[in-house]
Amino acid sequence: MAGAYIHIPFCEHICYYCDFNKVFIEGQPVDDYVAMLLKEMRMVMAEHPDEKIETVYVGGGTPTTLTPKQLATLCQGVHDILHFDSGEFTFEANPNDLLTTDKLQVLHDYGVNRLSIGVQSFNDEVLKRIGRIHRAKDVYVAIANARKVGFDNLSIDLIFRLPDQSRDDFLNSLQNALDLDLPHYSTYSLILERKTIFYNLMRQGKLRLPTQDIEADMYQDAIDLMEAHGRHQYEISNFAKDGYQCQHNLLYWENDKYFGFGAGAFGYLGRDRYHNYGPIKQYLTPLHTEHLPVLAHHLVPVSEQIEEEMFLGLRTMRGVSEKRFYERYHLTVDAVYGETVPELESQGLLQRNDGFIRLTNKGKFLGNEVFQQFLLDEPLI
């Protein structure tokens, strides 16, 4: 069993905070990209004929910049090549691509059953400041159109700690989001990534961000408000009604297998982590000559697998299963982290019960500091 991530790198506009692999769509060889993407999928799956794909996630970039015809070609290819008959099939979307139902109808007709819509804020001034081209009114039209076509598994993303954003402003966005009564929400704190407009502004001293205390208040507001509305936190940044947790992302957090298709995509199969070429031309060229577009393979050492088991598992509210840890690595957690876990427990950052190790509420706010404690000084044999 495995998941499949498919990357569509095209955007109509580049947001100021985004560091994902993306390009302006104008002038790009989009039809050729879709054709070569399907070719890559055929070549890879020929090497894994017995692998069952149980989740598919199409991300970007902005997958919904594709035309209805291109979307249909891609979705049909997913079913035919990946032998994907049922399971969670997610598309990322921007609100401004869903102002009519044509693309939504194609996605629904071809079996897409989950949409993740990038909203980020319900404040038009904030949206302008972060480089988004949709406005709050577009979100309502997009959600209404999605429901009209037949989608019910809908999620939206919100970002907090945005430039000049107040706590009240984020609370207002949270309330507006919850008023839509969706089954799933994701909310992320702004991270300043290199090679983004915001990173450059920060380096120039021109980016006014909320303080760490206000950021913490915003995160606690999200946790409290989501829970009050029956959207339970199941991962550091994700909240859902029961039964609507994102199954594809759970594959990542459970350190399971997934294929990566498309420019800049990562895959993880057994111990093999591989990375495709990012630039469009470098991705397409090998495929035109019957070669896979893989830039590099990395054979993940056991030590690194164990570190990731802890980092990723602790992101979830379920936590790290001690039984699963032992079955995977033939070591107990105590054999590897016999001093680390008790120390973090004593600091009130971890709790250990029912065979699981989890972050406490305090630990959620200091997640990165906690995760660093699970880096191993020496590799395990």
Side-chain angles (χ1 to χ4, degrees), residues 160-265:
F160 59 96
R161 190 187 166 236
L162 292 169
D164 292 321
Q165 185 182 40
S166 68
R167 181 180 177 184
D168 282 345
D169 174 78
F170 180 60
L171 264 172
N172 186 60
S173 282
L174 281 171
Q175 192 60 62
N176 285 329
L178 285 161
D179 286 346
L180 289 167
D181 195 25
L182 305 180
H184 190 286
Y185 297 91
S186 301
T187 181
Y188 306 97
S189 175
L190 176 69
I191 298 174
L192 297 174
E193 303 283 8
R194 293 177 182 275
K195 300 181 182 177
T196 63
I197 292 171
F198 275 173
Y199 185 83
N200 291 333
L201 288 172
M202 182 270 292
R203 293 284 301 273
Q204 297 166 29
K206 296 179 180 177
L207 197 66
R208 296 191 304 270
L209 299 177
T211 64
Q212 284 188 329
D213 285 346
I214 292 175
E215 177 188 1
D217 288 340
M218 289 173 169
Y219 183 42
Q220 188 66 59
D221 288 339
I223 293 171
D224 293 344
L225 209 53
M226 289 289 172
E227 185 62 34
H229 285 76
R231 274 62 179 177
H232 309 300
Q233 186 175 25
Y234 70 99
E235 190 269 346
I236 282 180
S237 302
N238 287 275
F239 307 81
K241 289 169 66 175
D242 291 340
Y244 285 90
Q245 296 87 349
C246 179
Q247 298 305 305
H248 183 82
N249 285 342
L250 284 168
L251 277 177
Y252 297 151
W253 300 320
E254 291 172 0
N255 213 12
D256 279 335
K257 293 191 293 187
Y258 54 90
F259 293 89
F261 300 109

Side-chain angles (χ1 to χ4, degrees), residues 43-103:
M43 292 171 70
V44 170
M45 296 316 292
E47 298 176 358
H48 300 271
D50 299 323
E51 194 69 66
K52 173 69 175 170
I53 302 296
E54 57 182 2
T55 65
V56 174
Y57 191 105
V58 184
T62 312
T64 47
T65 54
L66 299 183
T67 65
K69 183 178 179 182
Q70 290 162 346
L71 289 170
T73 300
L74 174 60
C75 291
Q76 186 63 58
V78 166
H79 291 297
D80 293 345
I81 301 165
L82 301 184
H83 307 298
F84 181 70
D85 302 319
S86 62
E88 183 185 86
F89 190 177
T90 302
F91 250 77
E92 290 183 349
N94 273 355
N96 45 293
D97 292 324
L98 309 181
L99 299 181
T100 61
T101 58
D102 53 348
K103 294 181 181 183

Side-chain angles (χ1 to χ4, degrees), residues 6 12 23 27 39 44-45 83 107 112 131 180 197-198 215 247 267-268 270 286 288 293 306 333 344 381:
I6 298 170
E12 289 181 16
V23 293
K39 185 173 186 177
V44 170
M45 296 316 292
H83 307 298
L107 294 175
V112 175
L180 289 167
I197 292 171
F198 275 173
E215 177 188 1
Q247 298 305 305
Y268 184 45
H288 281 294
I306 285 175
V333 172
L344 291 168
I381 302 299

